[in-house]
Amino acid sequence: MENQHQPLVRVSDITKKFGGFTALSNVSLDIAPGERVGLIGPNGSGKSTLVNCISGMLEIDGGDILLNNTNISQLAPHARVHAGIARSFQIPRPFKSMSVLENIKVVLTFSGNQRLDSNDLRSTQERAIAMVESVGLAPKMHAISASLTQVELRKLELARAMSANPKLLIADEALAGLSGAEVDEVLVLIMNMKSKGVSVLLIEHIMSAVMQFSERLVVLVAGNKIADGNPQDVINNPEVIRAYLGE
Ligand SMILES: Nc1ncnc2c1ncn2[C@@H]1O[C@H](COP(=O)(O)OP(=O)(O)O)[C@@H](O)[C@H]1O
Ligand SMILES: [Mg+2]
């Protein structure tokens, strides 16, 4: 029986070095099933490095990364996608010459299908259409991806990540470069992932968005986790204010 207190993801004491530079020092982080976790920190504090270590783009120099109690530290990035970790908003980019719908079908065909509900009898085409509709891109279904606006591309990237049927979605700089109204639109889509049971790790600079999104807030400074907890408590934490918010 599944223990409801067991984390989906357990990052345990990981260290990452680039040559003589330590980008992450003994960082630990649990993410519960369905939990929305915000990750903040100054530029260069190690946020993307942490994401790269979780998604397998970088090998860690110490510690372990567990997914549902299974050690995935040695798995290649594509194997981690299959295991349930999807990262959006940085890589992979959509195929620019393909339509929105075709881009989704590619992901549905090549990733995540292991965990698809066997009661789901819809064709790939039908599932792709539903996915496109769920991010509000129905009017652009047959448009070539290269013709999309910035916010439409973000929605497509989100739909592509969700098409891999993830248990954890990692959104690094998900809202960067969007206007205020667009930030709200994409944020709502990301927040709705929770209703699908997906955990989300959001890395974002816009504090109002982070505070609206996060059930828990984690702060990295110079490769060290300095706070992890209730978002309101975390942003009132004197060490966080000194190290980051008050800078
Ligand atoms: N591939 C790399 N090789 C060398 N140094 C890197 C590499 N990736 C990141 N770094 C360094 O690690 C630190 C953390 O970077 P990063 O994780 O991108 O920070 P953040 O995402 O918080 O802005 C920075 O000092 C950065 O220059
Ligand atoms: Mg970064």
Side-chain angles (χ1 to χ4, degrees):
M1 205 174 86
E2 196 157 321
N3 180 345
Q4 69 176 99
H5 298 296
Q6 180 183 304
L8 172 69
V9 176
R10 168 157 285 173
V11 172
S12 178
D13 216 21
I14 68 168
T15 294
K16 176 64 195 175
K17 295 180 181 169
F18 296 112
F21 173 75
T22 302
L24 295 173
S25 297
N26 304 99
V27 171
S28 296
L29 170 66
D30 281 357
I31 302 174
E35 191 177 25
R36 293 197 307 257
V37 179
L39 174 62
I40 62 172
N43 279 332
S45 57
K47 303 181 298 298
S48 293
T49 300
L50 179 57
V51 165
N52 286 329
C53 289
I54 295 173
S55 62
M57 307 301 292
L58 289 174
E59 277 183 37
I60 52 178
D61 296 306
D64 284 307
I65 300 169
L66 308 183
L67 180 70
N68 280 328
N69 232 3
T70 299
N71 198 326
I72 60 163
S73 307
Q74 305 303 320
L75 291 186
H78 73 270
R80 297 194 203 190
V81 174
H82 285 291
I85 296 177
R87 174 192 177 164
S88 85
F89 300 112
Q90 287 192 327
I91 42 169
R93 292 296 181 194
F95 299 106
K96 290 207 180 308
S97 62
M98 284 186 185
S99 73
V100 167
L101 191 62
E102 289 296 336
N103 259 295
I104 301 301
K105 284 165 75 172
V106 167
V107 183
L108 284 174
T109 304
F110 292 108
S111 63
N113 286 299
Q114 292 85 345
R115 287 184 321 284
L116 283 179
D117 183 354
S118 56
N119 294 320
D120 187 347
L121 299 176
R122 295 174 302 167
S123 65
T124 301
Q125 173 83 6
E126 290 168 317
R127 284 190 282 126
I129 290 172
M131 188 60 75
V132 170
E133 286 171 346
S134 75
V135 296
L137 285 179
K140 294 294 173 99
M141 193 157 339
H142 302 294
I144 297 302
S145 303
S147 72
L148 298 182
T149 64
Q150 185 78 353
V151 67
E152 288 166 348
L153 270 175
R154 300 301 170 88
K155 291 176 181 176
L156 174 57
E157 290 191 53
L158 187 56
R160 279 166 54 82
M162 287 306 292
S163 297
N165 198 24
K167 296 170 186 160
L168 172 69
L169 175 74
I170 305 175
D172 191 0
E173 310 272 351
L175 310 171
L178 299 179
S179 74
E182 292 168 344
V183 164
D184 291 343
E185 261 182 74
V186 176
L187 192 61
V188 165
L189 291 175
I190 298 173
M191 292 185 73
N192 285 344
M193 299 302 130
K194 189 183 174 74
S195 65
K196 301 184 171 76
V198 177
S199 306
V200 186
L201 179 62
L202 176 76
I203 295 101
E204 183 47 53
H205 291 291
I206 305 166
M207 279 310 292
S208 58
V210 169
M211 292 305 285
Q212 191 187 335
F213 167 85
S214 305
E215 295 171 320
R216 219 172 88 228
L217 189 57
V218 174
V219 185
L220 274 185
V221 173
N224 293 281
K225 188 174 88 168
I226 65 161
D228 181 345
N230 172 285
Q232 208 60 51
D233 295 345
V234 165
I235 62 161
N236 290 318
N237 174 328
E239 191 185 352
V240 172
I241 294 169
R242 196 165 49 243
Y244 176 40
L245 297 170
E247 72 181 1

